[in-house]
Amino acid sequence: MVDLTYRPRRLRTTPAMRALVQETTLQVEDMIYPLFVVPGTGVKEEIPSLPGQYHLSVDEAVKMAKEAHELGILGVEIFGIPTYKDEQGSSAWDMEQPVQQAIAAIRKEVPELIVVGDVCLCQYTSSGHCGMIDHHEILNDETLPLLGKVAVSQAKAGAQMVAPSDMMDGHIAYLRQSLDEAGFNNVSIMSYASKYASAYYGPFRDAVHSAPEFGDRKSYQMDPANRLESLRMIERDICEGADIIMIKPALSYLDIVREARDNFDYPLAVYNVSGEYAMVKAAAAQGLVDEKRIVLETLLSMKRAGAKIIITYHALDVARWLR
Ligand code: PBG
Ligand code: ZN
């Protein structure tokens, strides 16, 4: 007989014993659910690149937001497809467009729900880039006032939080100032502090028709090879006034999440992006993995890495499973 004083399996003997020593939990309160709003009424069409997710007109987006709220989800993030695109991306701050209309309608019908506006230009510019373009160059400083208009238009519509995903330099400071000057000092900023130039955004770009017309986003999004740069970006965004910092994508970047948690005493979010979602859905549809178990394990790993907030297309399913 072996003589073991430490037998870790003692604490794995029953569900109750395992629950007692469980270090990390996943709760419905951790998740934000993204919504894709489109022009029209009565539109609810499944997005081919994101099975189980929908293009929703404003009225249908309100229904979906109600459902999310009833399941205990605390917030939704609004992405939109506009009715027109131009060089500046001016439909991004047009109060008549689906995003602003959806924000206002959801705030009215589901007042307890946190409504987050995605601040960027790529769905709205004819170039499909996240900033203004001149001769195939991104004009960083000329883009900032446009982003300011987007954030203020969303705040006017009723958004309590804006999430700038454009990756321009100086955008957090610019948005903070724009919001404050417009009287919105209570509107918070969730910064995509470390947003990597990632192939995992593919299904999202299909969903919102935002693939760049030329080139790629590597001159503004981060190099997946870099870790230290991420710490500098987070520090910068905190100095500029970010309330919540976000790492995106999530799954391939959990080392960055852990590092962010250990180095910064700020609310930390991850974006469980479209490619991560689509891979799981495809594998599950083929019967290769158990969707529920895979999703719960994946989101738990994001919590374990140190994130509190998870923006995820799985949110409604997870909320049901956790009940
Ligand atoms: C656009 C934006 C992207 C995502 C959120 N906002 C894609 C991109 O940068 O091309 C990705 C979301 C996802 O993949 O789920 N600024
Ligand atoms: Zn963009």
Side-chain angles (χ1 to χ4, degrees), residues 274-316:
S274 58
E276 300 170 45
Y277 174 85
M279 289 194 306
V280 167
K281 295 298 275 192
Q286 288 196 50
L288 300 176
V289 296
D290 177 330
E291 180 172 350
K292 176 179 170 182
R293 290 189 55 208
I294 281 275
V295 170
L296 292 174
E297 182 177 335
T298 303
L299 298 197
L300 188 67
S301 75
M302 295 168 191
K303 293 290 305 287
R304 194 188 62 236
K308 167 57 177 74
I309 302 160
I310 304 174
I311 301 163
T312 179
Y313 305 103
H314 297 292
L316 297 189

Side-chain angles (χ1 to χ4, degrees), residues 36 45-53 55 200-209 273-279 281-282 313:
F36 295 100
E45 282 168 9
E46 191 167 26
I47 301 172
S49 62
L50 291 172
Q53 305 304 311
H55 282 142
Y200 283 100
Y201 308 148
F204 175 94
R205 290 183 192 172
D206 283 342
V208 300
H209 318 299
V273 300
S274 58
E276 300 170 45
Y277 174 85
M279 289 194 306
K281 295 298 275 192
Y313 305 103

Side-chain angles (χ1 to χ4, degrees), residues 60 78 85 98 109 114 123 145-146 149 161 164 185 191 201 243 245 247 251 261 267 289:
E60 292 291 330
I78 311 295
K85 300 191 188 213
E109 301 294 329
I114 299 165
Q123 289 106 284
L146 310 183
K149 288 191 207 190
M161 188 181 290
N185 56 13
S191 154
Y201 308 148
D243 300 290
I245 52 178
I247 314 288
L251 206 42
R261 177 69 292 149
V289 296

Side-chain angles (χ1 to χ4, degrees), residues 50-87:
L50 291 172
Q53 305 304 311
Y54 297 87
H55 282 142
L56 303 164
S57 52
V58 170
D59 53 323
E60 292 291 330
V62 168
K63 285 188 209 164
M64 197 66 96
K66 264 191 196 143
E67 192 179 339
H69 174 62
E70 279 158 16
L71 285 166
I73 288 166
L74 302 181
V76 291
E77 179 163 351
I78 311 295
F79 295 93
I81 295 185
T83 56
Y84 63 94
K85 300 191 188 213
D86 59 24
E87 247 175 59

Side-chain angles (χ1 to χ4, degrees), residues 9-23:
R9 291 186 52 221
R10 283 179 198 128
L11 299 184
R12 298 179 200 140
T13 47
T14 66
M17 198 67 87
R18 292 191 287 272
L20 189 68
V21 297
Q22 184 173 358
E23 297 174 31

